[in-house]
Amino acid sequence: MSASPDSGPSRAPRTTPPRQLLAELRGPAVVPRPLDARALAALAANPGCRRRAVLDGAGVDKSALAAKLGSPAPFGQSQFAIVRGNSFEAKVKADRGRELLRLIGVEEPGEVSVPDLAAAGPEGRVARTALALREATAAGAWALLDHPLLALEVAGSPVYLEPDAVVVRPDGGWTVVEIKSFPMIDGSADAAKVGAAARQAAVYVLALERVAARTEGARVAQSVLLVCPKDFSNVPTASVVDVRKQRSVTRRQLARLTRIDEIARSLPEGISFDVGERTPEELTAAVECVPHQYAPECLAACELAFHCRARAREAGAVETLGRSVRGELGGLTTVGAVLAAARGEEGDPEDPAVAALRRARALRDEALAGVAACR
């Protein structure tokens, strides 16, 4: 694992309440940045990264932090894409969701209930959503919940999640709906984008299952409805995406996350990620106090990935070569150690990784010698 150096000698445990502790790390005057399903799916994909866990748990704006560290990440949608996405979502949900239900295969749904989910604060909205789901299930009719709010506990802290929609069937089935603005051409969409949408939707399914467990007659579908524009038009089309694998992986990975308050309590006193109040040097020191686990996949999912990659390269960590390579190299944790083992300068010859490296070097030397002889 590529990690920052240990922060020093052991300290007495801090007794600050978890919520106050995270606020101090973020900056008491800073509004927390809420976790969403996309960030949660990325966090679940790399549960060993304590740096991302504590920054996300504290609600730190990682984009602003990365920019102040001098390693900004090119994330985010253009304003045009956001407006187009909102327009497309409104079209899908128009007329009390009849177009959406048609995509499910229901031409004449009858009266469709669209409950009001407004309430004070996230806790109130979560409770209102749960009540609406129970009432819709008991009524035995079609219902469309537009942007319901669900809760999921992650590493000891509550996370609030807002899917695009949830459809309740007359038989008590609940289906998560994901509406995306990327096109579905000839019945298929970009595999990488569909995969990301499936991982995001799997988080919603996990959160919805918590409500279903307390609702008589309810069952959550293990597939989600992905709605996209057809070809290059604004006409909606849909595909059913099985998320059982993504759900299982996400549940297992989230369970592996260390409690965020435990990570926070292990940090030195006075550490803060307050972008507005701290200098780049102070923020760099604060970030380096938290162990990280960089992998090339982070570049597509984490705003701090470019900073972490630079540090991993400086340390010569083999993680920069990818998780599969890291797994094959066993106890060889740096590029320097790998090269030394291949040259026969270090390493146990009985180690399979060392033996494979030396065999590869011998084959390379043999091939280069053959090329030189042919000249």
Side-chain angles (χ1 to χ4, degrees), residues 255-288:
R256 288 178 55 198
L257 283 171
T258 305
R259 288 182 61 90
I260 293 170
D261 59 313
E262 292 179 9
I263 302 173
R265 292 183 196 284
S266 70
L267 302 179
E269 293 279 356
I271 285 295
S272 173
F273 304 103
D274 190 337
V275 176
E277 297 295 328
R278 299 299 174 115
T279 65
E281 293 73 22
E282 290 174 322
L283 290 172
T284 299
V287 167
E288 293 306 310

PDB file of all heavy atoms in Angstrom, residues 255-288:
ATOM      1  N   ALA A 255     -18.710  -2.411   4.062  1.00  0.00           N
ATOM      2  CA  ALA A 255     -18.568  -3.027   5.382  1.00  0.00           C
ATOM      3  C   ALA A 255     -17.111  -3.055   5.829  1.00  0.00           C
ATOM      4  O   ALA A 255     -16.824  -3.087   7.036  1.00  0.00           O
ATOM      5  CB  ALA A 255     -19.131  -4.449   5.357  1.00  0.00           C
ATOM      6  N   ARG A 256     -16.175  -2.996   4.880  1.00  0.00           N
ATOM      7  CA  ARG A 256     -14.754  -3.033   5.219  1.00  0.00           C
ATOM      8  C   ARG A 256     -14.209  -1.683   5.663  1.00  0.00           C
ATOM      9  O   ARG A 256     -13.123  -1.614   6.227  1.00  0.00           O
ATOM     10  CB  ARG A 256     -13.939  -3.495   3.999  1.00  0.00           C
ATOM     11  CG  ARG A 256     -14.088  -4.956   3.642  1.00  0.00           C
ATOM     12  CD  ARG A 256     -13.278  -5.270   2.405  1.00  0.00           C
ATOM     13  NE  ARG A 256     -11.874  -4.880   2.570  1.00  0.00           N
ATOM     14  CZ  ARG A 256     -11.022  -4.713   1.550  1.00  0.00           C
ATOM     15  NH1 ARG A 256     -11.448  -4.867   0.313  1.00  0.00           N
ATOM     16  NH2 ARG A 256      -9.772  -4.372   1.781  1.00  0.00           N
ATOM     17  N   LEU A 257     -14.961  -0.627   5.394  1.00  0.00           N
ATOM     18  CA  LEU A 257     -14.466   0.709   5.732  1.00  0.00           C
ATOM     19  C   LEU A 257     -14.310   0.882   7.234  1.00  0.00           C
ATOM     20  O   LEU A 257     -15.212   0.556   8.015  1.00  0.00           O
ATOM     21  CB  LEU A 257     -15.434   1.779   5.212  1.00  0.00           C
ATOM     22  CG  LEU A 257     -15.378   2.082   3.711  1.00  0.00           C
ATOM     23  CD1 LEU A 257     -16.526   2.993   3.336  1.00  0.00           C
ATOM     24  CD2 LEU A 257     -14.061   2.717   3.345  1.00  0.00           C
ATOM     25  N   THR A 258     -13.158   1.385   7.636  1.00  0.00           N
ATOM     26  CA  THR A 258     -12.945   1.724   9.038  1.00  0.00           C
ATOM     27  C   THR A 258     -13.856   2.892   9.410  1.00  0.00           C
ATOM     28  O   THR A 258     -14.115   3.766   8.594  1.00  0.00           O
ATOM     29  CB  THR A 258     -11.475   2.127   9.266  1.00  0.00           C
ATOM     30  OG1 THR A 258     -10.633   1.077   8.794  1.00  0.00           O
ATOM     31  CG2 THR A 258     -11.195   2.382  10.745  1.00  0.00           C
ATOM     32  N   ARG A 259     -14.346   2.888  10.648  1.00  0.00           N
ATOM     33  CA  ARG A 259     -15.183   3.999  11.082  1.00  0.00           C
ATOM     34  C   ARG A 259     -14.436   5.315  10.876  1.00  0.00           C
ATOM     35  O   ARG A 259     -13.269   5.470  11.236  1.00  0.00           O
ATOM     36  CB  ARG A 259     -15.561   3.827  12.548  1.00  0.00           C
ATOM     37  CG  ARG A 259     -16.564   2.720  12.809  1.00  0.00           C
ATOM     38  CD  ARG A 259     -16.903   2.665  14.293  1.00  0.00           C
ATOM     39  NE  ARG A 259     -17.490   3.915  14.743  1.00  0.00           N
ATOM     40  CZ  ARG A 259     -18.798   4.180  14.733  1.00  0.00           C
ATOM     41  NH1 ARG A 259     -19.637   3.276  14.281  1.00  0.00           N
ATOM     42  NH2 ARG A 259     -19.262   5.327  15.168  1.00  0.00           N
ATOM     43  N   ILE A 260     -15.122   6.274  10.269  1.00  0.00           N
ATOM     44  CA  ILE A 260     -14.493   7.544   9.913  1.00  0.00           C
ATOM     45  C   ILE A 260     -14.006   8.282  11.155  1.00  0.00           C
ATOM     46  O   ILE A 260     -12.937   8.900  11.146  1.00  0.00           O
ATOM     47  CB  ILE A 260     -15.482   8.401   9.099  1.00  0.00           C
ATOM     48  CG1 ILE A 260     -15.736   7.740   7.741  1.00  0.00           C
ATOM     49  CG2 ILE A 260     -14.955   9.818   8.905  1.00  0.00           C
ATOM     50  CD1 ILE A 260     -16.849   8.347   6.948  1.00  0.00           C
ATOM     51  N   ASP A 261     -14.780   8.209  12.255  1.00  0.00           N
ATOM     52  CA  ASP A 261     -14.351   8.918  13.458  1.00  0.00           C
ATOM     53  C   ASP A 261     -13.088   8.303  14.053  1.00  0.00           C
ATOM     54  O   ASP A 261     -12.279   8.998  14.663  1.00  0.00           O
ATOM     55  CB  ASP A 261     -15.477   8.961  14.495  1.00  0.00           C
ATOM     56  CG  ASP A 261     -15.935   7.578  14.910  1.00  0.00           C
ATOM     57  OD1 ASP A 261     -16.164   6.743  14.024  1.00  0.00           O
ATOM     58  OD2 ASP A 261     -16.062   7.319  16.121  1.00  0.00           O
ATOM     59  N   GLU A 262     -12.877   6.996  13.840  1.00  0.00           N
ATOM     60  CA  GLU A 262     -11.646   6.353  14.315  1.00  0.00           C
ATOM     61  C   GLU A 262     -10.439   6.885  13.545  1.00  0.00           C
ATOM     62  O   GLU A 262      -9.369   7.119  14.122  1.00  0.00           O
ATOM     63  CB  GLU A 262     -11.748   4.837  14.166  1.00  0.00           C
ATOM     64  CG  GLU A 262     -12.766   4.184  15.100  1.00  0.00           C
ATOM     65  CD  GLU A 262     -12.837   2.688  14.884  1.00  0.00           C
ATOM     66  OE1 GLU A 262     -11.998   2.144  14.143  1.00  0.00           O
ATOM     67  OE2 GLU A 262     -13.750   2.058  15.458  1.00  0.00           O
ATOM     68  N   ILE A 263     -10.599   7.049  12.229  1.00  0.00           N
ATOM     69  CA  ILE A 263      -9.511   7.614  11.427  1.00  0.00           C
ATOM     70  C   ILE A 263      -9.230   9.043  11.879  1.00  0.00           C
ATOM     71  O   ILE A 263      -8.074   9.448  12.053  1.00  0.00           O
ATOM     72  CB  ILE A 263      -9.876   7.594   9.931  1.00  0.00           C
ATOM     73  CG1 ILE A 263     -10.186   6.174   9.466  1.00  0.00           C
ATOM     74  CG2 ILE A 263      -8.740   8.182   9.103  1.00  0.00           C
ATOM     75  CD1 ILE A 263     -10.706   6.104   8.042  1.00  0.00           C
ATOM     76  N   ALA A 264     -10.308   9.821  12.065  1.00  0.00           N
ATOM     77  CA  ALA A 264     -10.144  11.222  12.453  1.00  0.00           C
ATOM     78  C   ALA A 264      -9.446  11.351  13.803  1.00  0.00           C
ATOM     79  O   ALA A 264      -8.601  12.235  13.994  1.00  0.00           O
ATOM     80  CB  ALA A 264     -11.507  11.906  12.494  1.00  0.00           C
ATOM     81  N   ARG A 265      -9.774  10.475  14.737  1.00  0.00           N
ATOM     82  CA  ARG A 265      -9.166  10.554  16.072  1.00  0.00           C
ATOM     83  C   ARG A 265      -7.679  10.182  16.057  1.00  0.00           C
ATOM     84  O   ARG A 265      -6.935  10.543  16.972  1.00  0.00           O
ATOM     85  CB  ARG A 265      -9.917   9.636  17.041  1.00  0.00           C
ATOM     86  CG  ARG A 265     -11.323  10.094  17.351  1.00  0.00           C
ATOM     87  CD  ARG A 265     -11.997   9.191  18.382  1.00  0.00           C
ATOM     88  NE  ARG A 265     -13.434   9.401  18.400  1.00  0.00           N
ATOM     89  CZ  ARG A 265     -14.043  10.430  18.943  1.00  0.00           C
ATOM     90  NH1 ARG A 265     -13.326  11.373  19.534  1.00  0.00           N
ATOM     91  NH2 ARG A 265     -15.357  10.545  18.911  1.00  0.00           N
ATOM     92  N   SER A 266      -7.260   9.452  15.025  1.00  0.00           N
ATOM     93  CA  SER A 266      -5.850   9.056  14.947  1.00  0.00           C
ATOM     94  C   SER A 266      -4.959  10.172  14.396  1.00  0.00           C
ATOM     95  O   SER A 266      -3.733  10.048  14.426  1.00  0.00           O
ATOM     96  CB  SER A 266      -5.706   7.812  14.057  1.00  0.00           C
ATOM     97  OG  SER A 266      -5.968   8.129  12.695  1.00  0.00           O
ATOM     98  N   LEU A 267      -5.567  11.248  13.907  1.00  0.00           N
ATOM     99  CA  LEU A 267      -4.786  12.337  13.319  1.00  0.00           C
ATOM    100  C   LEU A 267      -4.244  13.267  14.399  1.00  0.00           C
ATOM    101  O   LEU A 267      -4.820  13.369  15.486  1.00  0.00           O
ATOM    102  CB  LEU A 267      -5.657  13.137  12.344  1.00  0.00           C
ATOM    103  CG  LEU A 267      -6.269  12.345  11.187  1.00  0.00           C
ATOM    104  CD1 LEU A 267      -7.116  13.261  10.320  1.00  0.00           C
ATOM    105  CD2 LEU A 267      -5.194  11.671  10.370  1.00  0.00           C
ATOM    106  N   PRO A 268      -3.147  13.968  14.120  1.00  0.00           N
ATOM    107  CA  PRO A 268      -2.571  14.891  15.112  1.00  0.00           C
ATOM    108  C   PRO A 268      -3.537  16.023  15.450  1.00  0.00           C
ATOM    109  O   PRO A 268      -4.368  16.421  14.628  1.00  0.00           O
ATOM    110  CB  PRO A 268      -1.318  15.429  14.403  1.00  0.00           C
ATOM    111  CG  PRO A 268      -1.014  14.443  13.329  1.00  0.00           C
ATOM    112  CD  PRO A 268      -2.329  13.880  12.900  1.00  0.00           C
ATOM    113  N   GLU A 269      -3.410  16.530  16.652  1.00  0.00           N
ATOM    114  CA  GLU A 269      -4.222  17.673  17.083  1.00  0.00           C
ATOM    115  C   GLU A 269      -3.940  18.880  16.189  1.00  0.00           C
ATOM    116  O   GLU A 269      -2.811  19.120  15.763  1.00  0.00           O
ATOM    117  CB  GLU A 269      -3.882  18.036  18.536  1.00  0.00           C
ATOM    118  CG  GLU A 269      -4.281  16.977  19.555  1.00  0.00           C
ATOM    119  CD  GLU A 269      -5.746  17.057  19.920  1.00  0.00           C
ATOM    120  OE1 GLU A 269      -6.430  17.978  19.430  1.00  0.00           O
ATOM    121  OE2 GLU A 269      -6.214  16.195  20.685  1.00  0.00           O
ATOM    122  N   GLY A 270      -4.985  19.636  15.897  1.00  0.00           N
ATOM    123  CA  GLY A 270      -4.830  20.867  15.133  1.00  0.00           C
ATOM    124  C   GLY A 270      -4.866  20.700  13.636  1.00  0.00           C
ATOM    125  O   GLY A 270      -4.803  21.689  12.901  1.00  0.00           O
ATOM    126  N   ILE A 271      -4.965  19.454  13.145  1.00  0.00           N
ATOM    127  CA  ILE A 271      -5.025  19.231  11.704  1.00  0.00           C
ATOM    128  C   ILE A 271      -6.350  19.763  11.162  1.00  0.00           C
ATOM    129  O   ILE A 271      -7.413  19.555  11.748  1.00  0.00           O
ATOM    130  CB  ILE A 271      -4.887  17.723  11.390  1.00  0.00           C
ATOM    131  CG1 ILE A 271      -3.439  17.280  11.570  1.00  0.00           C
ATOM    132  CG2 ILE A 271      -5.348  17.406   9.983  1.00  0.00           C
ATOM    133  CD1 ILE A 271      -2.478  17.922  10.607  1.00  0.00           C
ATOM    134  N   SER A 272      -6.276  20.463  10.020  1.00  0.00           N
ATOM    135  CA  SER A 272      -7.480  21.010   9.410  1.00  0.00           C
ATOM    136  C   SER A 272      -7.340  21.014   7.899  1.00  0.00           C
ATOM    137  O   SER A 272      -6.253  21.221   7.364  1.00  0.00           O
ATOM    138  CB  SER A 272      -7.746  22.435   9.903  1.00  0.00           C
ATOM    139  OG  SER A 272      -8.815  23.028   9.204  1.00  0.00           O
ATOM    140  N   PHE A 273      -8.478  20.752   7.227  1.00  0.00           N
ATOM    141  CA  PHE A 273      -8.525  20.798   5.765  1.00  0.00           C
ATOM    142  C   PHE A 273      -9.348  21.993   5.300  1.00  0.00           C
ATOM    143  O   PHE A 273      -9.972  21.952   4.244  1.00  0.00           O
ATOM    144  CB  PHE A 273      -9.128  19.500   5.227  1.00  0.00           C
ATOM    145  CG  PHE A 273      -8.415  18.263   5.683  1.00  0.00           C
ATOM    146  CD1 PHE A 273      -8.944  17.474   6.692  1.00  0.00           C
ATOM    147  CD2 PHE A 273      -7.211  17.892   5.115  1.00  0.00           C
ATOM    148  CE1 PHE A 273      -8.284  16.340   7.130  1.00  0.00           C
ATOM    149  CE2 PHE A 273      -6.537  16.757   5.542  1.00  0.00           C
ATOM    150  CZ  PHE A 273      -7.072  15.973   6.556  1.00  0.00           C
ATOM    151  N   ASP A 274      -9.339  23.053   6.097  1.00  0.00           N
ATOM    152  CA  ASP A 274     -10.092  24.264   5.786  1.00  0.00           C
ATOM    153  C   ASP A 274      -9.395  25.004   4.639  1.00  0.00           C
ATOM    154  O   ASP A 274      -8.386  25.691   4.843  1.00  0.00           O
ATOM    155  CB  ASP A 274     -10.191  25.154   7.021  1.00  0.00           C
ATOM    156  CG  ASP A 274     -11.167  26.311   6.835  1.00  0.00           C
ATOM    157  OD1 ASP A 274     -11.429  26.684   5.677  1.00  0.00           O
ATOM    158  OD2 ASP A 274     -11.652  26.838   7.844  1.00  0.00           O
ATOM    159  N   VAL A 275      -9.923  24.861   3.431  1.00  0.00           N
ATOM    160  CA  VAL A 275      -9.279  25.424   2.240  1.00  0.00           C
ATOM    161  C   VAL A 275      -9.199  26.939   2.305  1.00  0.00           C
ATOM    162  O   VAL A 275      -8.223  27.550   1.847  1.00  0.00           O
ATOM    163  CB  VAL A 275     -10.042  24.973   0.971  1.00  0.00           C
ATOM    164  CG1 VAL A 275      -9.453  25.622  -0.272  1.00  0.00           C
ATOM    165  CG2 VAL A 275     -10.004  23.459   0.842  1.00  0.00           C
ATOM    166  N   GLY A 276     -10.201  27.572   2.902  1.00  0.00           N
ATOM    167  CA  GLY A 276     -10.228  29.020   2.946  1.00  0.00           C
ATOM    168  C   GLY A 276      -9.274  29.632   3.945  1.00  0.00           C
ATOM    169  O   GLY A 276      -8.806  30.754   3.763  1.00  0.00           O
ATOM    170  N   GLU A 277      -8.947  28.906   4.996  1.00  0.00           N
ATOM    171  CA  GLU A 277      -8.146  29.465   6.083  1.00  0.00           C
ATOM    172  C   GLU A 277      -6.709  28.967   6.112  1.00  0.00           C
ATOM    173  O   GLU A 277      -5.842  29.626   6.674  1.00  0.00           O
ATOM    174  CB  GLU A 277      -8.812  29.140   7.428  1.00  0.00           C
ATOM    175  CG  GLU A 277     -10.196  29.754   7.616  1.00  0.00           C
ATOM    176  CD  GLU A 277     -10.141  31.268   7.654  1.00  0.00           C
ATOM    177  OE1 GLU A 277      -9.128  31.811   8.141  1.00  0.00           O
ATOM    178  OE2 GLU A 277     -11.107  31.924   7.196  1.00  0.00           O
ATOM    179  N   ARG A 278      -6.429  27.831   5.529  1.00  0.00           N
ATOM    180  CA  ARG A 278      -5.089  27.242   5.613  1.00  0.00           C
ATOM    181  C   ARG A 278      -4.285  27.503   4.340  1.00  0.00           C
ATOM    182  O   ARG A 278      -4.836  27.595   3.240  1.00  0.00           O
ATOM    183  CB  ARG A 278      -5.180  25.736   5.860  1.00  0.00           C
ATOM    184  CG  ARG A 278      -5.884  25.365   7.172  1.00  0.00           C
ATOM    185  CD  ARG A 278      -5.140  25.922   8.376  1.00  0.00           C
ATOM    186  NE  ARG A 278      -5.829  25.718   9.630  1.00  0.00           N
ATOM    187  CZ  ARG A 278      -5.375  24.949  10.619  1.00  0.00           C
ATOM    188  NH1 ARG A 278      -4.231  24.310  10.477  1.00  0.00           N
ATOM    189  NH2 ARG A 278      -6.061  24.837  11.743  1.00  0.00           N
ATOM    190  N   THR A 279      -2.962  27.594   4.513  1.00  0.00           N
ATOM    191  CA  THR A 279      -2.070  27.812   3.376  1.00  0.00           C
ATOM    192  C   THR A 279      -1.857  26.488   2.643  1.00  0.00           C
ATOM    193  O   THR A 279      -2.124  25.403   3.187  1.00  0.00           O
ATOM    194  CB  THR A 279      -0.706  28.324   3.865  1.00  0.00           C
ATOM    195  OG1 THR A 279      -0.072  27.292   4.656  1.00  0.00           O
ATOM    196  CG2 THR A 279      -0.870  29.583   4.713  1.00  0.00           C
ATOM    197  N   PRO A 280      -1.373  26.550   1.400  1.00  0.00           N
ATOM    198  CA  PRO A 280      -1.085  25.302   0.676  1.00  0.00           C
ATOM    199  C   PRO A 280      -0.124  24.390   1.432  1.00  0.00           C
ATOM    200  O   PRO A 280      -0.277  23.168   1.398  1.00  0.00           O
ATOM    201  CB  PRO A 280      -0.475  25.796  -0.643  1.00  0.00           C
ATOM    202  CG  PRO A 280      -1.072  27.147  -0.842  1.00  0.00           C
ATOM    203  CD  PRO A 280      -1.204  27.737   0.532  1.00  0.00           C
ATOM    204  N   GLU A 281       0.857  24.987   2.102  1.00  0.00           N
ATOM    205  CA  GLU A 281       1.818  24.175   2.859  1.00  0.00           C
ATOM    206  C   GLU A 281       1.137  23.459   4.021  1.00  0.00           C
ATOM    207  O   GLU A 281       1.404  22.276   4.282  1.00  0.00           O
ATOM    208  CB  GLU A 281       2.952  25.052   3.381  1.00  0.00           C
ATOM    209  CG  GLU A 281       3.864  25.645   2.308  1.00  0.00           C
ATOM    210  CD  GLU A 281       3.209  26.768   1.518  1.00  0.00           C
ATOM    211  OE1 GLU A 281       2.243  27.379   2.035  1.00  0.00           O
ATOM    212  OE2 GLU A 281       3.650  27.020   0.381  1.00  0.00           O
ATOM    213  N   GLU A 282       0.252  24.166   4.724  1.00  0.00           N
ATOM    214  CA  GLU A 282      -0.465  23.551   5.852  1.00  0.00           C
ATOM    215  C   GLU A 282      -1.405  22.451   5.360  1.00  0.00           C
ATOM    216  O   GLU A 282      -1.528  21.394   5.995  1.00  0.00           O
ATOM    217  CB  GLU A 282      -1.258  24.616   6.612  1.00  0.00           C
ATOM    218  CG  GLU A 282      -0.380  25.587   7.398  1.00  0.00           C
ATOM    219  CD  GLU A 282      -1.193  26.718   8.011  1.00  0.00           C
ATOM    220  OE1 GLU A 282      -2.145  27.196   7.359  1.00  0.00           O
ATOM    221  OE2 GLU A 282      -0.842  27.139   9.130  1.00  0.00           O
ATOM    222  N   LEU A 283      -2.070  22.705   4.232  1.00  0.00           N
ATOM    223  CA  LEU A 283      -2.976  21.696   3.689  1.00  0.00           C
ATOM    224  C   LEU A 283      -2.210  20.462   3.207  1.00  0.00           C
ATOM    225  O   LEU A 283      -2.666  19.331   3.387  1.00  0.00           O
ATOM    226  CB  LEU A 283      -3.787  22.301   2.533  1.00  0.00           C
ATOM    227  CG  LEU A 283      -4.827  23.349   2.932  1.00  0.00           C
ATOM    228  CD1 LEU A 283      -5.408  24.001   1.692  1.00  0.00           C
ATOM    229  CD2 LEU A 283      -5.938  22.723   3.767  1.00  0.00           C
ATOM    230  N   THR A 284      -1.049  20.687   2.606  1.00  0.00           N
ATOM    231  CA  THR A 284      -0.229  19.557   2.163  1.00  0.00           C
ATOM    232  C   THR A 284       0.180  18.698   3.347  1.00  0.00           C
ATOM    233  O   THR A 284       0.103  17.453   3.299  1.00  0.00           O
ATOM    234  CB  THR A 284       1.020  20.055   1.424  1.00  0.00           C
ATOM    235  OG1 THR A 284       0.620  20.790   0.269  1.00  0.00           O
ATOM    236  CG2 THR A 284       1.909  18.900   1.000  1.00  0.00           C
ATOM    237  N   ALA A 285       0.606  19.336   4.433  1.00  0.00           N
ATOM    238  CA  ALA A 285       0.991  18.598   5.636  1.00  0.00           C
ATOM    239  C   ALA A 285      -0.191  17.835   6.210  1.00  0.00           C
ATOM    240  O   ALA A 285      -0.043  16.685   6.658  1.00  0.00           O
ATOM    241  CB  ALA A 285       1.553  19.571   6.674  1.00  0.00           C
ATOM    242  N   ALA A 286      -1.371  18.469   6.190  1.00  0.00           N
ATOM    243  CA  ALA A 286      -2.565  17.806   6.724  1.00  0.00           C
ATOM    244  C   ALA A 286      -2.932  16.582   5.889  1.00  0.00           C
ATOM    245  O   ALA A 286      -3.222  15.504   6.433  1.00  0.00           O
ATOM    246  CB  ALA A 286      -3.731  18.791   6.766  1.00  0.00           C
ATOM    247  N   VAL A 287      -2.903  16.730   4.570  1.00  0.00           N
ATOM    248  CA  VAL A 287      -3.257  15.617   3.688  1.00  0.00           C
ATOM    249  C   VAL A 287      -2.280  14.465   3.849  1.00  0.00           C
ATOM    250  O   VAL A 287      -2.666  13.288   3.880  1.00  0.00           O
ATOM    251  CB  VAL A 287      -3.302  16.107   2.220  1.00  0.00           C
ATOM    252  CG1 VAL A 287      -3.341  14.927   1.251  1.00  0.00           C
ATOM    253  CG2 VAL A 287      -4.515  16.996   2.004  1.00  0.00           C
ATOM    254  N   GLU A 288      -0.988  14.788   3.984  1.00  0.00           N
ATOM    255  CA  GLU A 288       0.021  13.744   4.100  1.00  0.00           C
ATOM    256  C   GLU A 288      -0.043  12.993   5.433  1.00  0.00           C
ATOM    257  O   GLU A 288       0.579  11.949   5.581  1.00  0.00           O
ATOM    258  CB  GLU A 288       1.419  14.328   3.899  1.00  0.00           C
ATOM    259  CG  GLU A 288       1.680  14.834   2.495  1.00  0.00           C
ATOM    260  CD  GLU A 288       1.404  13.769   1.446  1.00  0.00           C
ATOM    261  OE1 GLU A 288       1.904  12.641   1.588  1.00  0.00           O
ATOM    262  OE2 GLU A 288       0.661  14.060   0.490  1.00  0.00           O
TER     263      GLU A 288
END
